[in-house]
């Protein structure tokens, strides 16, 4: 098989290792699922082109093995007629479209073109034909790769199938090393020092857009050539471009892809820029927060969430209103789901827990997923980590230095060993106990003046009355009072079913709170209430 031969003959040990691992994943998938129940998701992009050739090689080796065990020699001309799905849209580049169809014809793929969005298309596909697993060219740097492994079940809410990602751990360099290596025999005829001769010689079959300055390809509306490949000084995208494989820093692969842009506070984004109506909220002296606590141990009932409770009190003390408290499992999708909802419904979201290098530490990944961005190495944070955990920050601990790309702001403070991570209006607190929370909170307040952390609002004033009156007696006057004093929170709660009822009046204007208390008490005989201290 030409692919297997070209890779084995290359002296690129790293590529050989990546290749062997990918082939192993493909062979496992082909052993686990029936051939007619697997599909290949092919979009003509460079990653899926690599995957196509890996699948051809993997299929050949897989069949070869079983043929061999049956006593038959492997058939070298055998084609990998894998079911192939392509989601075709009018917004795709014509070059990508034609490359996809031509390649499918060249390699005898069983092409199924789907003209629906991914989710609906997959639902229809699964209804029509049993499909247990789908091969994807997703790589770890892709925004949608967050939390995925080589075998990852489709996300909750998606039709059920296994996503198989054989090249998940491949870098940009690996992709091009593979594409180039598989045609390397032609290059030996030419002077490798002459890049143009090299280019002409290496008639690598990949979409022509990769020679026009594109390094990652989305739709015609959100993709431009990568300016880092432009050979002229002009930043206009009309210049000449080096081929995609000459991009020096693979982390900038998506520089030509439009980002979902979220302004950083330092770029003029307001502290609570994603809040529902932040400017008015501030003018009205009301900002809302949502607190999300991570921890299977809390959900099991093993541990009490004292840190979250303390944070609620702290938020209240600076005049913020907490709209919701959520407890979520240590699971990226669960975190992402809650963060996604809460970040747009609140001025600020605070996440407690899930920070560190354990497999259960998924806060950062969950936030990245909620914003639809990838995790990328953050040199500044890595430097802090190096100081904080010295030489322990090798290996998997380096994962801690991967932060949501393009939306992360590091909040430094001299009292913090590591800066706090803020992604737009989401702040990740690493405190595990009350002392640590006090420290992080004080730092946030200390940073308030720089505009990158929480803002002080007029604090709340509250009064609490205790009474032995029944709910029935107090309910109607309370409802009327709420209408008369919409700017004062009025509510009741019990400490026990038979004990006294506590009625709270909370607001920002002490006079209005006092007036509400008086208006309420006047509706009952004197001595019905006495003031108590709460919280
Ligand atoms: C076959 C297939 C399966 C997918 N399965 C999921 C899934 O389970 N969960 C999910 O959130 N997105 C899923 N997606 C969507 C992708 O995560 C992603 O949005 C898409 O590949 C576009 O990537 P891009 O933004 O890098 O162009 C799937 C896409 C395809 C083509
Ligand atoms: N329109 C589509 N039809 C079929 N599969 C798709 C489509 N879009 C994405 N995919 C799948 O998702 C994977 C990742 O998508 P991505 O946009 O990163 O493409 P790619 O192949 O990686 O090319 P590039 O990164 O250069 O754009 C693809 O390799 C492919 O398996
Ligand atoms: Mg890609």
């Amino acid at each position: 098989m030409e692919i297997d031969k070209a890779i084995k003959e290359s002296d690129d040990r790293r590529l050989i290792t990546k290749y062997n691992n990918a082939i192993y994943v493909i062979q496992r998938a082909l052993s686990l699922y029936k051939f007619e129940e697997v599909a290949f998701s092919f979009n003509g992009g460079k990653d899926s082109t690599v995957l196509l050739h890996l699948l051809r090689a993997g299929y050949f080796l897989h069949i070869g093995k079983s043929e061999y065990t049956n006593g038959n020699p492997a058939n070298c001309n055998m084609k990998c007629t894998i079911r192939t799905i392509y989601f075709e849209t009018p917004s795709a580049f014509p070059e990508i479209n034609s490359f996809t169809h031509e390649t499918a014809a060249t390699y005898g793929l069983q092409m199924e073109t789907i003209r629906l969005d991914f989710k609906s298309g997959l639902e229809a596909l699964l209804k029509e034909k049993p499909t247990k697993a789908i091969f994807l060219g997703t790589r770890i740097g892709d925004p949608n790769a967050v939390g995925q492994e080589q075998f990852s079940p489709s996300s909750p809410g998606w039709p059920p199938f296994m996503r198989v990602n054989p090249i998940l751990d491949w870098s940009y360099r690996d992709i091009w090393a593979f594409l180039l290596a598989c045609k390397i025999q032609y290059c030996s005829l030419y002077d490798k020092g002459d890049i143009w001769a090299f280019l002409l010689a290496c008639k690598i079959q990949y979409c022509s857009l990769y020679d026009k300055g594109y390094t990652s390809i989305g739709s015609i509306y959100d993709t431009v050539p990568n300016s880092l490949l432009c050979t002229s000084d002009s930043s206009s995208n009309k210049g000449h471009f080096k081929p995609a494989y000459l991009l020096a820093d693979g982390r900038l692969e998506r520089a030509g892809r439009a980002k979902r842009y979220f302004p950083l506070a330092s770029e003029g984004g307001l502290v609570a820029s994603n809040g529902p109506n932040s400017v008015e909220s501030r003018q009205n002296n009301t900002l809302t927060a949502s607190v999300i606590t991570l921890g299977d141990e809390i959900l099991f009932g093993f541990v009490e969430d004292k840190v979250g409770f303390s944070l609620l009190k702290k938020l209240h003390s600076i005049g913020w209103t907490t709209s919701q408290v959520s407890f979520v499992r240590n699971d990226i999708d669960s975190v992402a789901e809650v963060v996604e909802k809460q970040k747009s419904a609140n001025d600020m979201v605070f996440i407690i827990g899930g920070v560190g290098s354990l497999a259960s530490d998924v806060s950062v990944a969950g936030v990245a997923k909620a914003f639809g961005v990838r995790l990328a190495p953050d040199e500044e944070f890595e430097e802090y980590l190096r100081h904080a955990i010295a030489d322990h920050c090798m290996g998997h601990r380096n994962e801690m230095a991967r932060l949501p790309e393009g939306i992360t702001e590091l909040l430094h403070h001299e009292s913090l060993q590591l800066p706090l991570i803020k992604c737009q209006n989401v702040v990740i607190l690493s405190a595990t106990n009350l002392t640590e929370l006090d420290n992080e909170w004080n730092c946030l307040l200390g940073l308030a003046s720089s505009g990158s952390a929480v803002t002080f609002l007029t604090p709340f004033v509250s009064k609490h009355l205790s009474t032995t009156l029944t709910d029935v007696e107090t309910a109607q006057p309370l409802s009327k009072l709420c209408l008369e004093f919409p700017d004062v929170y009025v509510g009741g709660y019990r400490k026990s079913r038979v004990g006294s009822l506590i009625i709270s009046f909370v607001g920002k204007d002490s006079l209005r709170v006092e007036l509400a208390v008086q208006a309420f008490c006047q509706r009952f005989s004197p001595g019905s209430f006495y003031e108590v201290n709460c919280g």
Side-chain angles (χ1 to χ4, degrees):
M1 210 293 163
E2 86 280 7
I3 301 290
D4 196 58
K5 190 164 175 285
I7 298 296
K8 300 267 162 69
E9 283 174 1
S10 83
D11 54 4
D12 188 338
R13 293 186 64 79
R14 179 189 158 105
L15 181 62
I16 295 171
T17 309
K18 295 276 162 122
Y19 171 79
N20 286 338
N21 288 343
I23 293 293
Y24 174 76
V25 172
I26 290 168
Q27 289 190 305
R28 284 305 297 145
L30 294 176
S31 306
L32 287 164
Y33 306 100
K34 288 186 194 150
F35 190 64
E36 56 279 15
E37 288 181 349
V38 298
F40 163 42
S41 194
F42 181 52
N43 67 339
K46 61 180 184 317
D47 302 332
S48 59
T49 301
V50 167
L51 181 55
L52 162 66
H53 294 288
L54 289 171
L55 282 169
R56 290 178 55 236
Y59 178 73
F60 173 81
L61 294 167
H62 177 71
I63 294 294
K65 228 184 251 169
S66 51
E67 291 286 303
Y68 183 75
T69 50
N70 289 341
N72 296 322
N75 180 357
C76 290
N77 295 323
M78 146 197 330
K79 281 200 166 178
C80 173
T81 52
I82 189 165
R83 280 174 54 206
T84 302
I85 49 172
Y86 172 44
F87 294 83
E88 191 173 311
T89 68
S91 63
F93 281 87
E95 291 92 331
I96 275 281
N97 248 335
S98 46
F99 177 79
T100 306
H101 289 292
E102 280 160 21
T103 309
T106 307
Y107 293 101
L109 306 173
Q110 278 185 61
M111 192 69 157
E112 299 171 34
T113 305
I114 303 174
R115 291 189 180 81
L116 292 169
D117 62 87
F118 291 137
K119 215 174 186 180
S120 325
L122 290 166
E123 265 158 19
L125 182 86
L126 263 70
K127 258 187 213 147
E128 203 185 308
K129 283 181 199 161
T131 307
K132 298 248 168 76
I134 303 181
F135 286 105
L136 286 133
T138 301
R139 291 193 292 113
I140 204 71
D142 296 340
N144 57 64
V146 174
Q148 287 206 56
E149 294 182 24
Q150 284 161 330
F151 287 83
S152 274
S154 51
S155 312
W158 284 68
F161 57 89
M162 183 62 79
R163 287 177 287 180
V164 185
N165 305 310
I167 56 167
L168 191 68
D169 64 337
W170 285 44
S171 68
Y172 185 79
R173 176 203 166 277
D174 298 329
I175 290 294
W176 286 107
F178 178 87
L179 287 170
L180 297 179
C182 291
K183 286 285 177 184
I184 214 78
Q185 66 269 32
Y186 296 120
C187 300
S188 58
L189 300 173
Y190 295 86
D191 176 6
K192 284 185 195 166
D194 180 344
I195 194 66
W196 295 111
F198 179 82
L199 268 179
L200 289 174
C202 296
K203 292 209 176 67
I204 302 147
Q205 278 189 332
Y206 56 76
C207 177
S208 61
L209 287 174
Y210 294 111
D211 280 339
K212 295 179 186 163
Y214 293 86
T215 48
S216 173
I217 303 165
S219 81
I220 49 173
Y221 302 115
D222 66 12
T223 313
V224 293
N226 190 331
S227 58
L228 295 160
L229 289 177
C230 193
T231 51
S232 68
D233 281 344
S234 137
S235 57
S236 91
N237 291 325
K238 294 199 176 101
H240 288 287
F241 292 94
K242 289 183 274 186
Y245 66 83
L246 290 180
L247 180 72
D249 185 347
R251 288 176 300 181
L252 302 169
E253 167 186 0
R254 293 176 81 96
R257 300 274 299 261
K259 284 207 175 75
R260 287 177 231 180
Y261 183 71
F262 311 99
L264 294 175
S266 52
E267 294 172 302
L270 288 171
V271 171
S273 53
N274 274 14
N277 47 11
S278 303
V279 178
E280 296 108 85
S281 297
R282 250 175 277 208
Q283 282 162 358
N284 293 341
N285 233 325
T286 57
L287 288 173
T288 63
S290 170
V291 176
I292 302 172
T293 301
L294 259 79
D296 293 347
E297 68 285 5
I298 295 171
L299 290 167
F300 282 132
F302 296 160
V303 172
E304 211 179 322
D305 175 34
K306 292 192 179 129
V307 176
F309 178 62
S310 173
L311 181 61
L312 296 181
K313 288 214 266 188
K314 291 181 189 301
L315 283 163
H316 185 79
S317 73
I318 60 159
W320 283 58
T321 306
T322 303
S323 71
Q324 185 161 339
V325 177
S326 323
F327 293 102
V328 289
R329 291 178 40 218
N330 295 110
D331 163 69
I332 294 173
D333 284 332
S334 310
V335 176
E337 197 184 328
V338 182
V339 172
E340 195 174 349
K341 276 193 198 131
Q342 296 303 315
K343 74 182 168 63
S344 45
N346 290 280
D347 295 287
M348 197 74 107
V349 176
F350 294 91
I351 301 185
I352 302 170
V355 179
S357 57
L358 298 174
S360 56
D361 292 325
V362 295
S363 284
V364 172
V367 171
K369 186 154 191 191
F371 280 98
V373 300
R374 64 181 188 170
L375 289 174
D378 186 300
E379 282 177 20
E380 193 187 349
F381 197 64
E382 198 164 6
E383 198 52 40
Y384 277 99
L385 276 174
R386 197 166 290 128
H387 279 115
I389 51 179
D391 49 346
H392 299 300
C393 71
M394 299 307 290
H396 70 287
R397 279 171 191 262
N398 273 337
E399 285 296 306
M400 282 178 72
R402 289 158 56 86
L403 302 179
E405 191 181 35
I407 56 164
T408 299
E409 193 179 354
L410 295 179
L411 304 180
H412 312 275
H413 194 284
E414 56 191 14
S415 313
L416 293 172
Q417 206 182 13
L418 286 174
L420 293 175
I421 296 164
K422 178 168 176 265
C423 300
Q424 289 305 297
N425 63 335
V426 180
V427 173
I428 303 173
L429 299 171
S430 54
T432 56
N433 59 38
L434 295 182
T435 315
E436 288 168 7
L437 178 70
D438 285 349
N439 185 37
E440 290 183 4
W441 181 253
N442 290 338
C443 294
L444 279 176
L445 294 186
L447 292 164
S449 57
S450 69
S452 59
V454 286
T455 315
F456 284 95
L457 298 176
T458 310
F460 286 104
V461 180
S462 47
K463 279 217 158 176
H464 308 274
L465 303 181
S466 177
T467 181
T468 49
L469 292 169
T470 63
D471 298 5
V472 179
E473 288 166 297
T474 50
Q476 219 184 16
L478 270 179
S479 305
K480 280 195 182 146
L481 197 76
C482 290
L483 295 175
E484 280 169 44
F485 290 87
D487 53 331
V488 178
Y489 164 84
V490 187
Y493 67 92
R494 296 191 163 280
K495 284 194 173 165
S496 82
R497 216 9 73 206
V498 289
S500 31
L501 179 67
I502 309 287
I503 299 170
S504 300
F505 301 79
V506 186
K508 299 244 162 171
D509 182 336
S510 54
L511 183 64
R512 293 282 296 163
V513 170
E514 194 49 53
L515 285 173
V517 171
Q518 281 174 17
F520 182 66
C521 292
Q522 276 165 13
R523 292 178 186 165
F524 298 88
S525 43
S528 299
F529 303 97
Y530 63 97
E531 198 175 328
V532 286
N533 265 334
C534 289

